[in-house]
Amino acid sequence: MNKSVLSILLPVAVLLVVYFLWDGAVLLSNTDIFPRPYQVFLGIGELIQRGVLLKYVVASLFRVSIGFTLAVLIGVPFGLLLGWFRPAFLAFNPLIQILRPISPIAWIPIAILWFHVDDRAPIFLIFLSSLFPITVTSIAAVQNIQPVYVRAAQNFGLTRLDLFRRVIFPACLPQIITSLRISLGIAWLVVVAAEMIAVNSGLGYLIIDARNAGKRYDLVVAGMLMIGLIGLILDLLIRRLERFEEVKWGYFGGR
Amino acid sequence: MSSAKGVGLAVVLWLVVISFLHATLNLGVFAPHKSTAEAAFRVGFLPVTCHLTCPVTDFINKQLSGESGFEPIRFQAWPELKEAFISGYLPATFILAPLAMRMREDGVPIKIVYLGHRDGTAMVVHKDSQIFHIEDLRGKTIAVPNRFSNQKLLVVKALKDHGVQPDEVKILEMAPPDMPAALFSKAVDAITSGEPYMGQAELDGYGRVLYQTKDVWPNFISCVLAVREDVIRNHRETVQKLVDGIAKSGKWLDQTMDHRMEAADFVSQYYYNQNPRLLRFVLSKPPDRVKYTNLALRKNDFLEIEALAKETGVLKGKVTFEDYADPSFVPPNNSLQPYAWEYQK
């Protein structure tokens, strides 16, 4: 069997096994609470029929897109700056290291007090969740540049701006893109928690709402499934960035 | 760097498209009519029967005059609702009575202006359990909605009335929507919160009612209507309109069983997103499970709550009825008639 057939057959086989294990476990335990897989698919059907699934997916994607973009726009330049100017790094690094380990969920009360309960609060939480991984990787990327690149460039008489634009930034790009991929994953992870605030749309809200609605665990699992599938699609999309010529060298032993 | 330009363009395009979709589908920014005459007066609520008068007032107002004057904002849990009130986002909210009193103690400018309901809480145990009397709760685990909930004080009162010391049971906090599943899986021995979550455990066949509020603490108050002090100063008429609306919709709800069943239908559909069967059940079986009349603020009711709250450490006892309540909005007895309105499906 050739590789491409295997790469489809194997995952499908695993998914089928999981499907039947799940179904069997629900049947065997005779539980009244946990849904069977087909009930989850019916639940997804119901959400589509009610016209809320598209709305909720759009709401979650909107918040993640805005929060994540803000984090990139601020985190990358800030990280590069700190990586390049040692005094700035010394000044800001302790603060970053203190803020970094705080879970975005811990920020929920603050987010409500500052931004009330409209879209800004979840966007803020998603922004925070992505900002620190991006900043820290950007710092490390500059600090880890091989000194020979910089010296060679200086021997060619590059100005500071050119040095930054033509040597440092391209050299850091592969690591930055990897960090974007990881932090987009985190941002999508956080969207559920962020939407537990009283916003009235989004996949996270769908899960909370289904809990409020009584025995609708089929919709809870439907929400989980949608989050997983969209997370997969997002990851596939951002991985395309790694294929560009400008960054390919970073992955295939170009140094 | 043509690929960089391509990526940049794609990102910008994506942001524009997703923002446009979100604005259209969820925010209704491009919807044709949007009354911007006056900023909406937000009222916070949770999807529980203790807060039923909030959506009912909104719905009937809209049906009668096309405009509610209020914007009910649904929350999922107490902490978020409390924070939204403290931050000033909500000028008014339905809230647990002891929580409102405690917030006053902590310096939040909150005033209780009216009740939301009376009764409407049960304690439910698993149908297979050996708990048949309140005394049988010794050594068991009981889930309550919040440490500042009157449900917790109710548990303490019930236990003490039956000679059980509160430290002989384990009381833990749990979000009410999670309670039926916790009881089903026997993670806890007993659950108590506002409806419809208790009714759900009963309706689904694994819960058995140990007590209703009327058995332990008749005319029990779980939630009250509270507003910010600056709102009382600056928007007296709006607060009065809200209190009158709640009084009228409460009377409407208690007028006939048909009204209650109609409310169960439109509130399930438009506000709570719950199964109408569930609300129909808790609003009718038995009919005095929860009541929406007799909602005036009575000092003695609150003194009773205060005493229990001080005993259990929920309140420090720094504030009095005059600090946390403002009964001046309570309509004079029988001066208001129920809403004259019938539901047309």
Side-chain angles (χ1 to χ4, degrees):
Chain A
M1 232 185 282
N2 69 36
K3 263 186 183 169
S4 64
V5 176
L6 264 186
S7 70
I8 294 173
L9 271 186
L10 285 177
V12 169
V14 169
L15 286 177
L16 278 177
V17 169
V18 169
Y19 183 97
F20 286 111
L21 277 180
W22 169 4
D23 206 22
V26 175
L27 284 176
L28 276 180
S29 66
N30 203 15
T31 172
D32 188 33
I33 299 269
F34 201 81
R36 292 177 59 182
Y38 84 89
Q39 291 171 315
V40 172
F41 292 120
L42 288 182
I44 294 178
E46 182 191 324
L47 293 173
I48 295 173
Q49 207 187 356
R50 271 172 28 204
V52 295
L53 190 65
L54 179 68
K55 282 185 183 183
Y56 289 174
V57 168
V58 163
S60 291
L61 282 175
F62 168 77
R63 293 175 190 131
V64 167
S65 303
I66 301 292
F68 181 72
T69 308
L70 285 175
V72 173
L73 290 180
I74 293 173
V76 172
F78 187 54
L80 293 177
L81 188 80
L82 294 198
W84 188 237
F85 290 110
R86 181 100 190 130
F89 174 76
L90 290 175
F92 282 97
N93 189 48
L95 179 67
I96 292 174
Q97 297 306 333
I98 290 172
L99 292 176
R100 192 163 69 108
I102 302 173
S103 160
I105 296 161
W107 283 91
I108 286 180
I110 313 273
I112 297 177
L113 292 179
W114 284 353
F115 300 109
H116 304 317
V117 292
D118 52 27
D119 275 336
R120 288 172 302 164
I123 287 174
F124 171 70
L125 295 177
I126 289 160
F127 164 76
L128 274 182
S129 74
S130 315
L131 180 68
F132 293 109
I134 293 174
T135 308
V136 170
T137 324
S138 302
I139 294 173
V142 180
Q143 287 175 342
N144 293 340
I145 288 178
Q146 305 215 358
V148 64
Y149 293 169
V150 179
R151 275 191 229 117
Q154 279 165 343
N155 281 347
F156 279 114
L158 258 67
T159 62
R160 272 192 101 119
L161 187 68
D162 268 347
L163 178 70
F164 197 81
R165 212 163 51 105
R166 296 173 68 171
V167 178
I168 294 175
F169 187 66
C172 294
L173 207 50
Q175 288 180 62
I176 290 176
I177 285 180
T178 306
S179 86
L180 294 190
R181 188 183 155 197
I182 293 169
S183 49
L184 181 62
I186 298 174
W188 189 244
L189 205 67
V190 165
V191 76
V192 176
E195 286 169 349
M196 291 189 175
I197 305 173
V199 292
N200 52 14
S201 55
L203 292 168
Y205 168 78
L206 169 65
I207 289 178
I208 309 296
D209 188 43
R211 279 167 66 195
N212 271 327
K215 208 179 63 182
R216 293 312 303 269
Y217 295 92
D218 53 335
L219 296 185
V220 171
V221 181
M224 291 166 66
L225 199 62
M226 291 313 299
I227 290 168
L229 288 175
I230 292 169
L232 175 74
I233 295 171
L234 286 180
D235 194 56
L236 289 175
L237 283 177
I238 199 156
R239 276 171 82 162
R240 299 180 71 92
L241 286 180
E242 294 174 356
R243 295 209 212 127
F244 288 121
E245 288 297 326
E246 287 86 350
V247 295
K248 237 178 176 173
W249 62 271
Y251 301 100
F252 302 107
R255 49 187 85 177
Chain B
M1 292 281 272
S2 62
S3 57
K5 270 186 193 154
V7 170
L9 200 66
V11 167
V12 170
L13 200 64
W14 167 254
L15 287 177
V16 169
V17 168
I18 196 74
S19 302
F20 175 78
L21 281 175
H22 183 62
T24 318
L25 290 174
N26 293 308
L27 303 180
V29 171
F30 305 110
H33 65 88
K34 185 97 181 175
S35 70
T36 46
E38 201 183 347
F41 190 87
R42 301 188 189 96
V43 186
F45 74 101
L46 301 184
V48 293
T49 51
C50 305
H51 300 185
L52 191 72
T53 45
C54 180
V56 171
T57 305
D58 180 63
F59 192 81
I60 299 184
N61 275 348
K62 269 190 203 150
Q63 299 290 317
L64 284 178
S65 63
E67 200 171 53
S68 158
F70 309 103
E71 187 189 353
I73 306 275
R74 184 170 66 148
F75 283 76
Q76 312 296 345
W78 289 114
E80 286 80 19
L81 179 140
K82 180 197 73 181
E83 280 148 10
F85 184 85
I86 293 175
S87 75
Y89 178 78
L90 294 175
T93 189
F94 281 75
I95 193 163
L96 295 163
L99 178 58
M101 292 149 84
R102 173 60 183 236
M103 282 162 72
R104 185 77 225 187
E105 270 195 348
D106 291 345
V108 178
I110 186 171
K111 284 272 192 192
I112 299 172
V113 293
Y114 206 49
L115 301 186
H117 70 112
R118 281 184 183 270
D119 293 307
T121 290
M123 179 179 281
V124 172
V125 296
H126 203 285
K127 71 167 175 6
D128 302 336
S129 79
Q130 293 302 310
I131 305 169
F132 294 98
H133 306 283
I134 288 168
E135 292 86 338
D136 299 336
L137 287 169
R138 271 200 186 89
K140 304 292 185 192
T141 304
I142 304 168
V144 299
N146 189 287
R147 71 194 63 180
F148 300 123
S149 66
N150 218 13
Q151 276 79 7
K152 183 189 159 187
L153 301 182
L154 179 72
V155 170
V156 172
K157 181 175 161 62
L159 292 174
K160 280 170 36 115
D161 289 352
H162 289 79
V164 184
Q165 288 307 306
D167 57 5
E168 288 180 80
V169 301
K170 192 174 161 205
I171 294 179
L172 58 86
E173 277 180 307
M174 183 180 283
D178 297 332
M179 284 185 184
L183 184 73
F184 175 81
S185 62
K186 300 187 184 167
V188 293
D189 300 300
I191 55 176
T192 182
S193 86
E195 299 293 357
Y197 303 107
M198 302 301 100
Q200 192 200 330
E202 212 187 333
L203 197 60
D204 288 346
Y206 51 85
R208 166 161 51 79
V209 173
L210 184 68
Y211 64 67
Q212 295 278 4
T213 41
K214 59 179 176 183
D215 310 324
V216 179
W217 189 344
N219 293 317
F220 173 81
I221 300 162
S222 150
C223 290
V224 294
L225 174 68
V227 298
R228 295 179 63 87
E229 262 180 341
D230 56 298
V231 175
I232 291 187
R233 278 197 304 274
N234 304 328
H235 302 280
R236 255 201 104 80
E237 282 149 37
T238 316
V239 176
Q240 189 64 58
K241 206 179 142 213
L242 180 62
V243 170
D244 289 352
I246 283 162
K248 285 191 283 187
S249 56
K251 284 184 175 174
W252 182 84
L253 278 166
D254 282 0
Q255 202 172 24
T256 65
M257 188 45 77
D258 284 348
H259 286 171
R260 283 193 165 205
M261 295 302 102
E262 290 161 12
D265 286 346
F266 67 73
V267 170
S268 297
Q269 191 180 350
Y270 299 114
Y271 297 90
Y272 285 9
N273 194 14
Q274 290 165 343
N275 192 338
R277 196 169 136 241
L278 188 58
L279 274 184
R280 283 167 162 262
F281 177 79
V282 293
L283 289 177
S284 62
K285 296 205 169 36
D288 59 354
R289 197 171 182 131
V290 52
K291 291 181 295 209
Y292 298 103
T293 35
N294 188 14
L295 302 183
L297 301 179
R298 288 201 309 236
K299 190 173 175 178
N300 282 345
D301 291 338
F302 284 89
L303 291 182
E304 208 176 350
I305 298 174
E306 257 185 46
L308 267 169
K310 267 188 266 182
E311 213 177 293
T312 48
V314 166
L315 286 180
K316 294 171 222 153
K318 286 195 306 193
V319 290
T320 62
F321 180 76
E322 286 68 29
D323 294 323
Y324 58 71
D326 182 349
S328 65
F329 294 95
V330 174
N333 224 2
N334 297 326
S335 69
L336 287 176
Q337 293 302 309
Y339 273 117
W341 175 77
E342 294 301 328
Y343 184 40
Q344 314 287 339
K345 274 186 202 183

